Amino acid sequence: MSDLPSSMFAVIQSHDGYSGTATGPVIADAADWLENATLPVSAPGAGQVLIKLRAASVNPSDIHFIKGEYGQPRVKGSPAGFEGCGDVIATGPGAEALQGLRVAFVAAGSGAWAEYVVTQAQMCIPLRPDISDEDGAAQIVNPMTAMAMVDIARKAGDSFVVSAATSQLGKLMCSLGRDLGLKPIALIRRAEAADMIRDAGAAEVLVTGDAEMTERFAAISADLKPRVFLDAVADQQCEQVFCNMPNGARWVCYGKLSTELPKLTQMGQLIFMNKRIEGFWLTQWMMSTAPEDQMGVVAEVQARFADGRWKTDVSERLTLTDVVPNLADALKKSDGKVIITP
Ligand SMILES: NC(=O)c1ccc[n+]([C@@H]2O[C@H](COP(=O)([O-])OP(=O)(O)OC[C@H]3O[C@@H](n4cnc5c(N)ncnc54)[C@H](OP(=O)(O)O)[C@@H]3O)[C@@H](O)[C@H]2O)c1
């Protein structure tokens, strides 16, 4: 460690634990949740690596997390940010194979919004040279989730429903679905995004604000018979979508973009139509999926980014020092990721 810097700039969390609120992945001012700090650079322990950051992405989960609304407690004073890419510049015992490699990583403990990150070697994926740093910074959370969830849909039928389809994850799932010969039914908020999402791979596009949306969905559902609803919105209209799906349909909630809490209106469907409501969390998928199967998914993800079938749309670029003053405004832009660089 002697030739490594002793201190680093980091964007740290100002709060501990859970907040008990459910206000969604939006912020008025990042300074309510984050502050700048100079922290010591830690040495990697057993099975860990030290990464020099190239780029980090901002996901809704990062915003849920800093607000204390995610499935893990915050640690006050610890850098924020779950995902990024960078160069492994030091390794602990057992992680030597990653020394010197450019990797995509998920931060476990010390966050990605810092000049240096310590994480587990298991949370790192060496990147092919033909993948850009920006694609590398968003290579795990959304792409792996897209692969895992479209696989759930593929096993259940020829069509599936995806809400918030203009999200990065929604676009990845529409294009993957089309490539697998499936018919994605996309639910979007912005009518002007309909052509874009059709081009991305959606077979049908419905705008959630349309007065006839539920009736139109019911007709499409009767025709295409989608058996899986991949839902990141989870509001009352989503419950109505689920109610208009056929026998055996599964409502897979994987995000909570809406702050509205839906009521269940058709309990009989769970009994008589074998319908199911469930959740999906990538962390759980990683813990329960065999390493060789995960490696197959990783290889396919990188191949799709390398040949251009998938890409990371970028809405705004911030340096680490810009995050606290400018993140809230940067997140207001639709259709793309905020990318943070050192
Ligand atoms: N469970 C897991 O393991 C897992 C893994 C990855 C991601 N996720 C979840 O997947 C979702 C999408 O992630 P992402 O990174 O792809 O997001 P993103 O690119 O940041 O896009 C989110 C988009 O959703 C739309 N949206 C926001 N609030 C909405 C609302 N209340 N109702 C309907 N649409 C809304 C907006 O698009 P418009 O402005 O165009 O409407 C927004 O741009 C998030 O909920 C995230 O937490 C879950």
Side-chain angles (χ1 to χ4, degrees):
M1 284 290 286
S2 56
D3 50 349
L4 297 175
S6 56
S7 65
M8 65 176 183
F9 181 84
V11 179
I12 62 169
Q13 301 159 67
S14 354
H15 304 273
D16 257 325
Y18 299 104
S19 60
T21 59
T23 54
V26 287
I27 48 173
D29 185 352
D32 293 338
W33 317 102
L34 300 169
E35 57 197 80
N36 295 332
T38 301
L39 298 182
V41 175
S42 308
Q48 292 184 325
V49 297
L50 176 67
I51 297 168
K52 186 174 195 299
L53 186 76
R54 284 177 180 247
S57 55
V58 180
N59 290 313
S61 52
D62 293 310
I63 307 304
H64 284 295
F65 182 65
I66 62 173
K67 295 174 75 177
E69 299 180 357
Y70 196 64
Q72 295 158 346
R74 295 167 293 183
V75 179
K76 184 176 174 175
S78 184
F82 283 126
E83 183 174 27
C85 93
D87 302 298
V88 175
I89 58 166
T91 57
E96 295 83 353
L98 291 177
Q99 178 67 41
L101 298 186
R102 187 175 67 116
V103 296
F105 66 87
V106 171
S110 164
W113 300 353
E115 289 177 290
Y116 298 90
V117 182
V118 171
T119 193
Q120 301 301 121
Q122 286 163 309
M123 307 299 272
C124 297
I125 297 173
L127 284 168
R128 290 168 47 150
D130 45 5
I131 290 180
S132 70
D133 288 346
E134 287 185 347
D135 281 341
Q139 190 74 184
I140 300 178
V141 176
N142 282 339
M144 302 279 284
T145 302
M147 294 287 291
M149 291 202 303
V150 173
D151 192 51
I152 293 171
R154 186 179 58 80
K155 288 174 178 152
D158 298 332
S159 178
F160 63 94
V161 188
V162 49
S163 64
T166 53
S167 66
Q168 292 302 294
L169 184 46
K171 287 183 277 191
L172 299 181
M173 293 196 293
C174 286
S175 78
L176 178 59
R178 175 191 53 201
D179 295 350
L180 293 172
L182 308 177
K183 292 196 169 72
I185 302 168
L187 311 183
I188 63 171
R189 282 193 308 191
R190 291 181 296 119
E192 67 273 22
D195 288 343
M196 180 272 285
I197 211 68
R198 248 183 228 105
D199 290 346
E204 299 282 353
V205 181
L206 292 165
V207 180
T208 53
D210 280 358
E212 308 293 309
M213 142 78 195
T214 303
E215 291 72 15
R216 285 196 59 218
F217 176 76
I220 291 168
S221 176
D223 181 27
L224 297 182
K225 301 204 168 20
R227 291 239 148 59
V228 170
F229 179 15
L230 302 172
D231 181 25
V233 175
D235 63 6
Q236 197 60 46
Q237 194 174 35
C238 293
E239 194 264 355
Q240 286 299 297
V241 165
F242 176 60
C243 290
N244 281 291
M245 290 174 70
N247 276 346
R250 291 161 66 186
W251 181 8
V252 182
C253 299
Y254 69 91
K256 189 71 186 97
L257 290 167
S258 165
T259 51
E260 183 185 44
L261 283 178
K263 283 188 194 143
L264 297 176
T265 60
Q266 301 278 340
M267 298 308 290
Q269 292 193 349
L270 304 181
I271 302 167
F272 303 116
M273 293 174 71
N274 196 27
K275 291 192 173 189
R276 293 287 173 267
I277 302 171
E278 59 197 270
F280 176 91
W281 192 26
L282 183 65
T283 305
Q284 195 63 45
W285 180 88
M286 285 176 155
M287 287 191 288
S288 60
T289 301
E292 57 275 20
D293 294 341
Q294 294 194 36
M295 289 324 293
V297 170
V298 164
E300 175 62 14
V301 164
Q302 293 210 30
R304 293 184 74 87
F305 277 98
D307 66 18
R309 281 173 292 167
W310 276 352
K311 67 178 168 51
T312 303
D313 295 321
V314 177
S315 59
E316 182 80 11
R317 294 174 177 85
L318 300 177
T319 61
L320 280 168
T321 49
D322 287 336
V323 170
V324 173
N326 296 335
L327 181 61
D329 278 345
L331 288 171
K332 287 181 188 146
K333 296 188 181 169
S334 268
D335 207 19
K337 287 278 152 217
V338 176
I339 296 287
I340 299 171
T341 54

